[in-house]
Amino acid sequence: MAVLPMKRVRIAALKTDRKAMLETLQRLGVVEVENPPGAAADEVFAPSDRSEEAQQFKKLAALAAQALAVLDHRVPEKKSLLAALDGRRRLSVAEYEAQVARRDEVLAVCRRITQLDRENAENAAQLPKLDSQLVALSPWMEYDLPTDCAGTRTAAVLVGALSGEHELQEILEKLAALAPDADRLQLEIIRATQVQTCISVICARAQLAAVSDALRRIGFTEAPKTQKRPAEVAADLRAERQALVDARAKNEAEIAAFAPQRGQIEFLADYFAMRAEKYEILGGLRQSQRVFLVEGYVPAGQAAALEAHLEARFDAVSVEFADPLPEEDVPVLLKNNAFAAPVESVVESYSLPGKGEMDPSFVTALFYYVLFGIMLSDAAYGILMAVICGVLVAKKKNMEPGMRQMLTMFCYCGISTTVFGFLFGSFFGDSVNIIATTFFNRPDISLPALWMSPLNSPMKMLAFCFAVGVAHLFVGLGAKFYMYWKDGKYLDAVYDVVFWYLLVGGAILYLMTVPVFTSMLSLSATLPASVGKAAAIAAGVGAVGIILTAGRESKNWFKRILKGLYGVYGISGYLSDILSYSRLLALGLATGVIATVFNKMGSMLGGSFIGAVVFLLVFLIGHGLNMAINILGAYVHTNRLTFVEFFGKFYNGGGRKFAPFAVHTKYFKTEEDI
């Protein structure tokens, strides 16, 4: 329930221990290294440029990632639907060192996999070319000479095709008309189809020019040039094609044989990514001829353990701690109990606490689960959420912390949803009554609301939503009061919080004494006039206080009063904020109404066997969609109420997340406890 205090740390050690020291700090993951590449040099210490080594390790990591991509494409790994919840595989330090010892061997495997993949890509690019050549040669399979045969000294040979289907005599007549001086012309049709007519023409070499010109004029195009008979060339092309296919199959089989080494390649990708990060840090460390320094931040609670761990492992090491200076940009790390920790991700998605601000996680959690439960408000949906998320959290011991927090949050939201579902009498909508009426002819059976039914009492439900909203906003104001009081700003706490409590709270209490207002909201009681009088006085005191103090930074009284009057206008903002909580009613009604509609649709065919089958299908599909859509809606609007209405009353954020030098990997994690 707090922002953990940080200590500045400076670690000095011998350069001979630099590699082991950095690897130890990386596995511990408790120190945020502050000195980035380019840190300032002095007479003794200066950073060294290690960007070249870092870039080389990034390339090796990319090579391993490319090999994994090839394996995933060629030999996909079978994973369950819940594999994403398994988290990264754990390695002990001994297992880590054993894997490191095999890095060169596994790196050779990566190179071989990528080489085989490149060969297959090149072979695949050749196949369409060979196929197109075979298609181009297919009309000439019956021709007995190479198509590039030009003839003899006295005779010329022309081989080509005319578009469309033609008769022999028709072609001869056209040639005779276009080249009347050409005689003793020998023409043979090799193959004729509706698309083209393949021909061979033999003429005297002296008549070659005239015959060639005549052929071109009737649409003649030369055949593909081959030094062998087309049938022989086609056979060679088919053999070449088959060799490429066989080579691809062989390469695919060899790639598949590397599949059992997928885990080692995954480790290699993580290992070189870690090395690259380490060398980026190393390039920023200030170093002398024999000593290097590591400077940064560590959580105060882990400072002593860090010092003891390093001193026990290294003979010559100095670890010094100091409190950060007020002007330093100290990173933020949150620490909460099991109730509030799940909403840390919600707080972080808005912004971490700024300097001097409280951690809002606990006060956020107080209302977050309640708001979510009111919006979803179906007991069956809540039970499903709580059970599924709870089982996953319990079973998946190695789940990543962020995913565990989110599932735990939704488990708590499911419990809240279950409570409000029973309070409002919703269990898959009105499914209990529909099933009893349709299939058992018992319309008297239903799930009664333990408190009220929003569908039957919407105005009463709206009043409840407004009451929750007022409580939410007032707790936000209370958090603001706490921060002012903690910082010794006692008058500011009165001016900016107490006066608003009096004004807004007094106005609300006064409205509760007006019969028209309470009747409109279907409230069963109206407060007595004496309460209204006291509330009006309190509201008046609050309004006067705000007018006199809202512009207190101005020395001119006229400007101060004007700013005070404008500050009182801020009550319209409170009205808008309170009205925003009507979305609790809207989303709660949407969940119940849609569920009821699906129940009605499913029961339209009555209680027959077919009706039961149809009801079951509509029930499963309809409620599955309704649950998914409204869980998303409840999550989005709960965040909206938290970020805009609640945080707007006291929270600014702007903190920087604690980012320790740690093992940032994708597949494995190696941890060293301190």
Coordinates of all heavy atoms in Angstrom, one line a residue, residues 482-550:
Y482 N -5.7 13.6 2.8 CA -4.6 12.9 3.4 C -3.2 13.4 2.9 O -2.3 13.5 3.7 CB -4.8 11.4 3.2 CG -3.6 10.6 3.5 CD1 -3.3 10.2 4.8 CD2 -2.7 10.1 2.5 CE1 -2.2 9.5 5.1 CE2 -1.6 9.3 2.8 CZ -1.3 9.0 4.1 OH -0.2 8.3 4.4
M483 N -3.1 13.6 1.6 CA -1.8 14.0 1.1 C -1.5 15.4 1.5 O -0.3 15.7 1.9 CB -1.9 13.9 -0.5 CG -1.8 12.5 -1.0 SD -1.5 12.4 -2.8 CE -3.0 13.1 -3.4
Y484 N -2.5 16.3 1.6 CA -2.2 17.6 2.1 C -1.8 17.6 3.6 O -0.8 18.2 4.0 CB -3.5 18.5 2.0 CG -3.7 19.2 0.7 CD1 -4.9 19.4 0.2 CD2 -2.6 19.6 -0.1 CE1 -5.1 20.0 -1.1 CE2 -2.8 20.2 -1.3 CZ -4.0 20.4 -1.8 OH -4.2 21.1 -3.0
W485 N -2.5 16.8 4.4 CA -2.2 16.7 5.8 C -0.8 16.1 6.0 O -0.1 16.6 6.9 CB -3.3 15.9 6.5 CG -3.4 16.2 8.0 CD1 -2.7 15.5 9.0 CD2 -4.1 17.2 8.6 NE1 -3.1 16.0 10.2 CE2 -3.9 17.1 10.0 CE3 -4.9 18.2 8.1 CZ2 -4.5 17.9 10.9 CZ3 -5.5 19.1 9.0 CH2 -5.3 18.9 10.4
K486 N -0.5 15.1 5.2 CA 0.8 14.4 5.4 C 1.9 15.4 5.1 O 3.0 15.3 5.7 CB 0.9 13.2 4.5 CG 2.2 12.4 4.6 CD 2.2 11.3 3.6 CE 2.4 11.8 2.2 NZ 2.6 10.8 1.2
D487 N 1.7 16.3 4.1 CA 2.7 17.2 3.7 C 2.7 18.5 4.6 O 3.5 19.4 4.3 CB 2.6 17.6 2.3 CG 2.8 16.5 1.3 OD1 3.5 15.5 1.7 OD2 2.3 16.5 0.2
G488 N 1.9 18.5 5.6 CA 1.8 19.7 6.5 C 1.0 20.9 5.9 O 1.1 22.0 6.5
K489 N 0.3 20.6 4.9 CA -0.5 21.7 4.3 C -1.9 21.7 4.9 O -2.9 21.4 4.2 CB -0.6 21.6 2.8 CG 0.8 21.6 2.1 CD 0.7 21.4 0.6 CE 2.1 21.4 0.0 NZ 2.0 21.1 -1.5
Y490 N -2.0 22.0 6.1 CA -3.3 21.9 6.9 C -4.4 22.8 6.3 O -5.5 22.4 6.2 CB -3.1 22.1 8.4 CG -1.9 21.2 8.9 CD1 -0.8 21.8 9.5 CD2 -2.0 19.8 8.8 CE1 0.2 21.0 10.0 CE2 -1.0 19.0 9.3 CZ 0.1 19.6 9.9 OH 1.1 18.9 10.4
L491 N -4.0 24.1 6.1 CA -5.0 25.0 5.6 C -5.5 24.6 4.2 O -6.7 24.8 3.9 CB -4.4 26.4 5.6 CG -4.2 27.0 7.0 CD1 -3.6 28.4 6.8 CD2 -5.5 27.1 7.8
D492 N -4.5 24.2 3.3 CA -4.9 23.7 2.0 C -5.9 22.6 2.1 O -6.8 22.5 1.3 CB -3.7 23.3 1.2 CG -2.8 24.5 0.8 OD1 -3.4 25.6 0.7 OD2 -1.6 24.3 0.5
A493 N -5.7 21.7 3.1 CA -6.7 20.6 3.2 C -8.1 21.1 3.6 O -9.1 20.6 3.1 CB -6.2 19.7 4.3
V494 N -8.1 22.1 4.4 CA -9.4 22.7 4.7 C -10.0 23.4 3.5 O -11.2 23.2 3.1 CB -9.3 23.7 5.9 CG1 -10.6 24.4 6.1 CG2 -8.9 22.9 7.1
Y495 N -9.2 24.3 2.8 CA -9.7 25.1 1.7 C -10.2 24.2 0.5 O -11.2 24.5 0.0 CB -8.6 26.1 1.3 CG -8.2 27.0 2.3 CD1 -6.9 27.6 2.2 CD2 -9.0 27.4 3.4 CE1 -6.5 28.5 3.2 CE2 -8.6 28.3 4.3 CZ -7.3 28.9 4.2 OH -6.9 29.8 5.2
D496 N -9.4 23.2 0.2 CA -9.6 22.5 -1.1 C -10.4 21.2 -0.9 O -10.7 20.6 -1.9 CB -8.3 22.2 -1.8 CG -7.6 23.4 -2.3 OD1 -8.2 24.5 -2.4 OD2 -6.3 23.4 -2.5
V497 N -10.6 20.8 0.4 CA -11.3 19.5 0.6 C -12.5 19.7 1.5 O -13.6 19.4 1.1 CB -10.4 18.5 1.2 CG1 -11.1 17.2 1.5 CG2 -9.2 18.2 0.3
V498 N -12.3 20.3 2.7 CA -13.4 20.4 3.7 C -14.5 21.3 3.1 O -15.7 20.9 3.2 CB -12.9 20.9 5.0 CG1 -14.0 21.2 6.0 CG2 -11.9 20.0 5.6
F499 N -14.1 22.4 2.5 CA -15.2 23.3 2.0 C -16.0 22.6 0.9 O -17.2 22.8 0.8 CB -14.5 24.6 1.5 CG -14.1 25.5 2.5 CD1 -13.1 26.5 2.3 CD2 -14.7 25.5 3.8 CE1 -12.7 27.3 3.3 CE2 -14.3 26.3 4.8 CZ -13.3 27.3 4.6
W500 N -15.3 21.8 0.1 CA -16.1 21.1 -1.0 C -16.9 20.0 -0.4 O -18.0 19.7 -0.9 CB -15.1 20.5 -2.0 CG -14.6 21.5 -3.0 CD1 -13.4 22.1 -3.1 CD2 -15.4 22.1 -4.0 NE1 -13.4 23.0 -4.1 CE2 -14.6 23.0 -4.7 CE3 -16.8 21.9 -4.4 CZ2 -15.1 23.7 -5.8 CZ3 -17.2 22.6 -5.5 CH2 -16.4 23.5 -6.2
Y501 N -16.4 19.3 0.7 CA -17.3 18.4 1.4 C -18.6 19.1 1.9 O -19.7 18.6 1.7 CB -16.6 17.8 2.6 CG -15.7 16.6 2.4 CD1 -14.5 16.4 3.0 CD2 -16.2 15.5 1.5 CE1 -13.7 15.3 2.7 CE2 -15.5 14.4 1.3 CZ -14.2 14.3 1.9 OH -13.5 13.1 1.7
L502 N -18.4 20.3 2.5 CA -19.6 21.0 3.0 C -20.5 21.4 1.9 O -21.7 21.2 2.0 CB -19.1 22.2 3.8 CG -18.3 22.0 5.1 CD1 -17.8 23.3 5.6 CD2 -19.2 21.3 6.1
L503 N -20.0 21.9 0.8 CA -20.8 22.4 -0.3 C -21.5 21.2 -1.0 O -22.8 21.3 -1.1 CB -20.0 23.2 -1.3 CG -20.7 23.7 -2.6 CD1 -21.9 24.6 -2.2 CD2 -19.7 24.4 -3.5
V504 N -20.8 20.2 -1.5 CA -21.4 19.1 -2.2 C -22.3 18.3 -1.3 O -23.4 17.9 -1.6 CB -20.3 18.3 -2.9 CG1 -21.0 17.1 -3.7 CG2 -19.5 19.2 -3.9
G505 N -21.7 17.9 -0.1 CA -22.4 17.1 0.8 C -23.7 17.8 1.3 O -24.8 17.2 1.4
G506 N -23.6 19.1 1.6 CA -24.8 19.8 2.1 C -25.8 19.9 1.0 O -27.0 19.8 1.3
A507 N -25.4 20.1 -0.3 CA -26.4 20.2 -1.4 C -27.1 18.9 -1.6 O -28.3 18.9 -1.8 CB -25.7 20.6 -2.7
I508 N -26.4 17.8 -1.4 CA -27.0 16.5 -1.6 C -28.0 16.2 -0.5 O -29.1 15.8 -0.7 CB -25.9 15.4 -1.7 CG1 -25.1 15.5 -3.0 CG2 -26.6 14.0 -1.6 CD1 -23.9 14.6 -3.0
L509 N -27.6 16.5 0.8 CA -28.5 16.3 1.9 C -29.7 17.2 1.8 O -30.8 16.8 2.1 CB -27.7 16.6 3.2 CG -26.8 15.5 3.7 CD1 -26.0 16.0 4.9 CD2 -27.5 14.2 3.9
Y510 N -29.5 18.4 1.3 CA -30.7 19.3 1.2 C -31.7 18.7 0.1 O -32.9 18.7 0.3 CB -30.2 20.7 0.7 CG -31.4 21.6 0.5 CD1 -32.0 22.3 1.6 CD2 -31.9 21.9 -0.8 CE1 -33.1 23.1 1.4 CE2 -32.9 22.8 -1.0 CZ -33.6 23.4 0.1 OH -34.6 24.2 -0.1
L511 N -31.2 18.2 -1.0 CA -32.0 17.6 -2.0 C -32.8 16.4 -1.4 O -33.9 16.1 -1.8 CB -31.2 17.1 -3.2 CG -30.7 18.3 -4.1 CD1 -29.8 17.7 -5.2 CD2 -31.8 19.1 -4.7
M512 N -32.2 15.7 -0.4 CA -32.8 14.5 0.2 C -34.0 14.9 1.1 O -34.8 14.1 1.5 CB -31.8 13.7 1.0 CG -30.7 13.1 0.2 SD -31.3 11.8 -0.9 CE -31.7 10.6 0.2
T513 N -34.1 16.2 1.3 CA -35.3 16.7 2.1 C -36.4 17.2 1.2 O -37.5 17.6 1.7 CB -34.8 17.8 3.1 OG1 -34.4 19.0 2.3 CG2 -33.7 17.4 4.0
V514 N -36.2 17.2 -0.1 CA -37.2 17.7 -1.0 C -38.0 16.5 -1.5 O -37.5 15.6 -2.2 CB -36.5 18.4 -2.2 CG1 -37.6 18.9 -3.2 CG2 -35.7 19.6 -1.7
P515 N -39.3 16.5 -1.2 CA -40.1 15.3 -1.6 C -40.2 15.0 -3.1 O -40.2 13.9 -3.5 CB -41.5 15.7 -1.1 CG -41.3 16.7 0.0 CD -40.1 17.5 -0.4
V516 N -40.2 16.1 -3.9 CA -40.2 15.9 -5.4 C -38.9 15.1 -5.8 O -39.0 14.1 -6.6 CB -40.3 17.2 -6.1 CG1 -40.1 17.0 -7.6 CG2 -41.6 17.9 -5.8
F517 N -37.8 15.4 -5.2 CA -36.5 14.8 -5.6 C -36.5 13.3 -5.1 O -36.2 12.4 -5.9 CB -35.4 15.5 -5.0 CG -34.0 15.0 -5.3 CD1 -33.4 15.2 -6.6 CD2 -33.3 14.2 -4.4 CE1 -32.2 14.6 -6.9 CE2 -32.1 13.6 -4.7 CZ -31.5 13.9 -5.9
T518 N -36.9 13.1 -3.9 CA -36.9 11.7 -3.4 C -37.9 10.8 -4.1 O -37.7 9.7 -4.3 CB -37.1 11.7 -1.9 OG1 -38.4 12.4 -1.6 CG2 -36.0 12.4 -1.1
S519 N -39.1 11.4 -4.4 CA -40.1 10.7 -5.1 C -39.6 10.3 -6.5 O -39.9 9.2 -7.0 CB -41.4 11.5 -5.2 OG -42.4 10.9 -6.0
M520 N -38.9 11.2 -7.2 CA -38.4 11.0 -8.5 C -37.5 9.8 -8.5 O -37.4 9.0 -9.5 CB -37.7 12.2 -9.1 CG -37.2 12.1 -10.5 SD -36.4 13.6 -11.1 CE -35.0 13.7 -9.9
L521 N -36.6 9.7 -7.5 CA -35.7 8.6 -7.4 C -36.2 7.4 -6.7 O -35.5 6.4 -6.4 CB -34.4 9.1 -6.7 CG -33.6 10.1 -7.4 CD1 -32.4 10.5 -6.6 CD2 -33.1 9.6 -8.8
S522 N -37.5 7.4 -6.4 CA -38.2 6.2 -5.8 C -37.6 5.9 -4.4 O -37.5 4.7 -4.0 CB -38.2 5.0 -6.7 OG -38.8 5.3 -7.9
L523 N -37.2 7.0 -3.7 CA -36.6 6.7 -2.3 C -37.7 6.6 -1.3 O -38.7 7.3 -1.4 CB -35.7 7.9 -2.0 CG -34.4 8.0 -2.9 CD1 -33.6 9.2 -2.4 CD2 -33.6 6.8 -2.9
S524 N -37.6 5.7 -0.4 CA -38.7 5.4 0.6 C -38.8 6.5 1.6 O -39.8 6.5 2.3 CB -38.4 4.1 1.2 OG -37.2 4.0 1.8
A525 N -37.8 7.3 1.9 CA -37.8 8.2 3.0 C -37.3 9.6 2.5 O -36.5 9.7 1.6 CB -37.0 7.7 4.1
T526 N -37.9 10.6 3.1 CA -37.4 12.0 2.9 C -36.9 12.5 4.2 O -37.6 12.4 5.3 CB -38.6 12.9 2.4 OG1 -39.1 12.3 1.2 CG2 -38.1 14.3 2.1
L527 N -35.7 13.1 4.2 CA -35.2 13.7 5.4 C -36.0 14.8 6.0 O -36.6 15.6 5.2 CB -33.7 14.1 5.2 CG -32.7 13.0 4.8 CD1 -31.3 13.6 4.6 CD2 -32.7 11.9 5.9
P528 N -36.0 15.0 7.3 CA -36.8 16.1 7.8 C -36.3 17.5 7.5 O -35.1 17.6 7.1 CB -36.7 15.9 9.4 CG -35.5 15.0 9.5 CD -35.4 14.2 8.3
A529 N -37.1 18.5 7.6 CA -36.7 19.9 7.2 C -35.6 20.4 8.0 O -34.8 21.2 7.5 CB -38.0 20.8 7.3
S530 N -35.5 19.9 9.3 CA -34.4 20.4 10.1 C -33.0 20.0 9.5 O -32.1 20.8 9.6 CB -34.5 19.9 11.5 OG -34.6 18.5 11.5
V531 N -33.0 18.8 9.0 CA -31.7 18.3 8.3 C -31.5 19.2 7.1 O -30.3 19.6 6.8 CB -31.9 16.8 7.9 CG1 -30.6 16.4 7.2 CG2 -32.0 16.0 9.2
G532 N -32.5 19.5 6.4 CA -32.3 20.4 5.2 C -31.8 21.7 5.5 O -31.0 22.3 4.8
K533 N -32.3 22.3 6.7 CA -31.8 23.6 7.1 C -30.3 23.5 7.4 O -29.5 24.4 7.0 CB -32.6 24.1 8.3 CG -32.3 25.5 8.7 CD -33.2 25.9 9.9 CE -32.9 27.3 10.3 NZ -33.8 27.8 11.4
A534 N -30.0 22.5 8.2 CA -28.6 22.3 8.6 C -27.7 22.1 7.3 O -26.6 22.6 7.2 CB -28.4 21.2 9.6
A535 N -28.2 21.3 6.4 CA -27.5 21.1 5.2 C -27.3 22.3 4.4 O -26.2 22.6 3.8 CB -28.2 20.0 4.3
A536 N -28.3 23.2 4.3 CA -28.2 24.4 3.6 C -27.2 25.3 4.2 O -26.4 26.0 3.5 CB -29.6 25.1 3.5
I537 N -27.1 25.4 5.5 CA -26.1 26.2 6.2 C -24.7 25.7 5.9 O -23.8 26.4 5.6 CB -26.4 26.2 7.7 CG1 -27.7 26.9 8.0 CG2 -25.2 26.8 8.4 CD1 -28.1 26.8 9.5
A538 N -24.6 24.3 5.9 CA -23.2 23.7 5.6 C -22.8 24.0 4.2 O -21.7 24.4 3.9 CB -23.3 22.2 5.9
A539 N -23.8 23.9 3.3 CA -23.5 24.2 1.9 C -23.1 25.7 1.7 O -22.2 26.0 1.0 CB -24.6 23.9 1.0
G540 N -23.8 26.6 2.4 CA -23.5 28.0 2.4 C -22.1 28.3 2.9 O -21.3 29.1 2.3
V541 N -21.7 27.7 4.0 CA -20.4 27.8 4.6 C -19.4 27.4 3.6 O -18.3 28.0 3.4 CB -20.3 27.1 5.9 CG1 -18.8 27.1 6.4 CG2 -21.2 27.7 7.0
G542 N -19.6 26.2 3.0 CA -18.7 25.7 2.0 C -18.5 26.6 0.8 O -17.4 26.9 0.3
A543 N -19.6 27.2 0.3 CA -19.6 28.1 -0.8 C -18.8 29.3 -0.5 O -18.0 29.8 -1.3 CB -21.0 28.4 -1.3
V544 N -19.1 29.9 0.7 CA -18.4 31.1 1.1 C -16.9 30.9 1.3 O -16.0 31.6 0.8 CB -19.0 31.7 2.4 CG1 -18.1 32.8 3.0 CG2 -20.4 32.2 2.2
G545 N -16.6 29.7 1.9 CA -15.2 29.3 2.1 C -14.5 29.2 0.7 O -13.3 29.7 0.6
I546 N -15.1 28.6 -0.3 CA -14.5 28.4 -1.6 C -14.3 29.8 -2.2 O -13.3 30.1 -2.9 CB -15.3 27.5 -2.4 CG1 -15.3 26.1 -1.9 CG2 -14.8 27.5 -3.9 CD1 -16.3 25.1 -2.5
I547 N -15.3 30.7 -2.1 CA -15.2 32.0 -2.7 C -14.0 32.8 -2.2 O -13.3 33.5 -2.9 CB -16.5 32.8 -2.5 CG1 -17.6 32.2 -3.4 CG2 -16.3 34.3 -2.9 CD1 -19.0 32.8 -3.1
L548 N -13.8 32.6 -0.8 CA -12.7 33.4 -0.2 C -11.4 32.8 -0.4 O -10.4 33.5 -0.2 CB -13.1 33.5 1.3 CG -14.3 34.3 1.7 CD1 -14.5 34.3 3.2 CD2 -14.2 35.8 1.2
T549 N -11.3 31.5 -0.7 CA -10.0 30.8 -0.7 C -9.6 30.2 -2.0 O -8.4 29.9 -2.2 CB -10.0 29.7 0.4 OG1 -11.0 28.7 0.0 CG2 -10.2 30.2 1.8
A550 N -10.5 30.0 -2.9 CA -10.1 29.4 -4.2 C -9.1 30.2 -5.0 O -8.3 29.6 -5.7 CB -11.4 29.1 -5.1

